[in-house]
Amino acid sequence: MKKSMKRTLWAFLTIAALTLALTGCGKSDQEKADEVADKIDAIYVQNWTKDTDKQCKEAKEAWDALTDDQKELVKGENADPDYFGRDTGDASKDDPLNGDKIGDKEILVVSFGTSFNDSRAKDVGGIEKAVQKAYPDWSVRRAFTAQIIINHVLARDDESIDNVDQALDRAVKNKVKTLVIQPTHLMHGAEYDELMDSVKKYEGKIDTIKVAEPLLGEVGKNAKTVNSDKAAVAEDITKAALKEAKYDSLDAAAADGTAFVFMGHGTSHTAKISYSQMQNQMEDLGYKNVFIGTVEGEPEDTSCEAVIKKVEKAGYKKVILRPLMVVAGDHANNDMAGDDDDSWKSQFDASKKFDSVDCQISGMGRIPEIQQIYVQHIQDAMNK
C-alpha cells in the first residue's frame, strides 16, 4: 500500500475514533442508560451538598440525550424510567414559596414533600394558600424535609424548593424576627423530631421561634388516647371519602356493603401508636365500616393482610381505599393503587374476598376542613 493511501486511511480511522469518543456512539444502548441510572442514583440521597444542584442538572441533560428506547433501559438502585418520564402533572402550577423580601414575620410550612406535581400543588399548596389567606400580614414560605424529593423536583422540573436549613437560613438572611413553623406531618414522628433538631441550631439567630402541632396533635399515652384533633381529622376525611363515593352517610355505605380503608405510611417510631388511636377514634365515633392501615405495617395490626382480615370478618364486600396522608404522592399512586402485586389494591383483589376494590387518590391537604386545622394550630402557637 502506498504511503499516501496509508496516511489517508490512518487519518480517516483517527477521525472516526475521535467522533465515536466525542459522541459516545461506541457505547451500547444499555451502557448509555446505565450512565443515566448512575446519575439518578447519585441524587437520590437525603443529604444536600454544594454539588447537588449541578448533579441534578447533569442527570436531566443526560436523560434528555437518550432515545426513547434507551430511556426504557434505565435501571439502577433507585433509578427507573419513571424518575424523569412519568407524567405527574404541570409543575408550573406549583409555587415553591422560596422568595426573599419576607419581612419580619414569617410562617414556614414544613412538609415531607412529594414529586407528584398535581398533588404538590393541590395538597401542600392547598394548605399553604389557606394559611396565607388566614394570615395576610405574614409571609408564608415552604420547606420540605425530604431532600430526595427536593432533588427529584429540581432535576425533572427545574423547580427549586428549600430544605429546612435553607429555609431557616433564608429567614435569618431576611432578618425575620418572629417565625412560626407549621409542620404538615401527621404526628410527632421521626420527621418531626428531625425538624426540631434543625430548629435548635437557629435559636438565638431569630428573636422568636414557635413550632405548631402536627395534624393529629399530641400523641398520647396509649392506643385509647384520642383528642379533638384526631376526632376532627376522622370526621373530615370520612366526610370527604363519602362525598367522592357518592354516599349520603356511612350508614348508607354500610347498607351497601362498603367499607373505607384509610392507608397511612406507618413507622417504627414510638408515635406509631397514633394509627391505633385513629382506629379507636373511628370506633368511638361509631364509624364501624372505617379501617386504618399502613404501608409499613407498623403497628402490626395495620398491615395490609391484617386489614383484609378485619374487613372480611366484618362482612363488607366492597372496599374503597384512600390515603391517610397529607399528599397523594408515590405511596398513594403506587403502594395503594398501583398495578404491582404488592400494592394494596392488588392484595385486596388477590384475596378474592371482595366484589369490588376501588381507590380514591386524594391527599388530605386539599380538604378545606383539614386546612383549617393547620390554621388553628398556627393560631394556638402564636398565642403561646
Side-chain angles (χ1 to χ4, degrees):
M1 183 180 295
K2 294 182 179 180
K3 289 183 179 181
S4 58
M5 292 180 64
K6 287 183 179 181
R7 284 196 295 268
T8 301
L9 179 59
W10 178 254
F12 174 79
L13 292 174
T14 300
I15 292 171
L18 286 170
T19 301
L20 287 171
L22 291 171
T23 63
C25 292
K27 296 176 182 176
S28 69
D29 287 346
Q30 188 61 64
E31 286 174 328
K32 293 177 182 179
D34 289 346
E35 287 181 353
V36 174
D38 289 343
K39 292 181 183 294
I40 293 174
D41 284 340
I43 59 175
Y44 202 95
V45 293
Q46 186 57 20
N47 296 322
W48 181 90
T49 73
K50 60 182 179 62
D51 296 321
T52 297
D53 291 2
K54 179 183 177 183
Q55 289 175 309
C56 289
K57 181 179 179 181
E58 290 175 348
K60 181 60 161 59
E61 289 174 348
W63 165 264
D64 289 341
L66 296 179
T67 65
D68 289 344
D69 288 340
Q70 290 167 348
K71 288 175 180 177
E72 291 300 315
L73 299 175
V74 172
K75 185 173 179 59
E77 184 177 352
N78 295 292
D80 60 36
D82 282 346
Y83 188 87
F84 283 119
R86 184 168 186 168
D87 181 9
T88 65
D90 184 355
S92 68
K93 295 180 180 179
D94 181 49
D95 184 350
L97 295 178
N98 60 359
D100 291 316
K101 298 182 179 179
I102 295 170
D104 60 7
K105 297 192 303 182
E106 176 188 353
I107 299 172
L108 179 62
V109 181
V110 178
S111 304
F112 178 82
T114 180
S115 62
F116 280 69
N117 292 330
D118 283 346
S119 295
R120 192 166 65 258
K122 293 178 182 178
D123 296 327
V124 178
I127 295 168
E128 294 163 343
K129 287 181 176 67
V131 170
Q132 186 65 82
K133 182 177 180 180
Y135 303 100
D137 296 331
W138 291 67
S139 295
V140 176
R141 294 293 182 267
R142 170 192 292 179
F144 282 0
T145 56
Q147 188 68 45
I148 289 172
I149 289 173
I150 293 172
N151 293 351
H152 192 172
V153 176
L154 177 61
R156 186 190 62 199
D157 304 309
D158 197 27
E159 178 181 336
S160 181
I161 298 172
D162 285 346
N163 60 35
V164 174
D165 285 342
Q166 289 168 335
L168 292 174
D169 285 339
R170 189 184 299 278
V172 172
K173 175 185 174 183
N174 282 269
K175 296 180 172 56
V176 170
K177 294 180 180 179
T178 304
L179 175 66
V180 178
I181 300 174
Q182 176 60 68
T184 66
H185 305 122
L186 205 63
M187 62 189 71
H188 287 263
E191 294 289 329
Y192 182 89
D193 289 347
E194 290 174 9
L195 168 62
M196 296 306 293
D197 288 340
S198 293
V199 170
K200 287 178 182 177
K201 296 183 295 185
Y202 289 83
E203 291 177 354
K205 297 181 180 181
I206 298 172
D207 291 352
T208 303
I209 302 178
K210 296 182 178 181
V211 182
E213 287 289 324
L215 184 59
L216 299 180
E218 289 291 341
V219 175
K221 294 181 179 180
N222 57 56
K224 293 293 185 180
T225 304
V226 295
N227 58 31
S228 59
D229 286 327
K230 293 181 178 69
V233 171
E235 292 170 351
D236 295 340
I237 62 176
T238 302
K239 179 182 176 181
L242 284 168
K243 182 178 180 180
E244 187 167 335
K246 295 182 171 53
Y247 285 114
D248 292 332
S249 66
L250 269 178
D251 288 341
D256 194 36
T258 298
F260 292 88
V261 175
F262 292 96
M263 186 199 76
H265 185 276
T267 177
S268 59
H269 192 278
T270 55
K272 68 183 179 182
I273 198 172
S274 300
Y275 293 107
S276 301
Q277 291 167 348
M278 281 299 292
Q279 183 65 68
N280 284 317
Q281 181 67 78
M282 295 294 184
E283 293 168 5
D284 287 352
L285 290 168
Y287 296 175
K288 296 182 179 179
N289 52 332
V290 177
F291 301 84
I292 302 296
T294 65
V295 177
E296 300 294 333
E298 293 193 56
E300 291 182 5
D301 65 346
T302 61
S303 70
C304 187
E305 182 180 354
V307 175
I308 287 173
K309 290 179 180 178
K310 288 180 185 179
V311 178
E312 178 195 3
K313 184 178 180 180
Y316 299 104
K317 303 300 290 183
K318 299 178 183 178
V319 177
I320 295 176
L321 302 172
R322 186 181 175 102
L324 182 65
M325 299 177 179
V326 174
V327 298
D330 182 67
H331 290 302
N333 285 274
N334 295 324
D335 295 317
M336 186 185 78
D339 295 328
D340 291 345
D341 292 341
D342 60 350
S343 77
W344 277 51
K345 185 179 188 309
S346 295
Q347 291 183 66
F348 269 82
D349 282 333
S351 72
K352 301 188 183 302
K353 304 294 183 182
F354 310 102
D355 296 336
S356 65
V357 181
D358 297 311
C359 296
Q360 296 179 353
I361 303 178
S362 184
M364 294 190 295
R366 69 188 70 181
I367 300 173
E369 294 84 353
I370 295 293
Q371 295 167 2
Q372 291 309 306
I373 294 176
Y374 288 118
V375 168
Q376 184 58 53
H377 284 184
I378 292 171
Q379 187 62 60
D380 293 341
M382 289 177 176
N383 293 337
K384 287 181 181 178

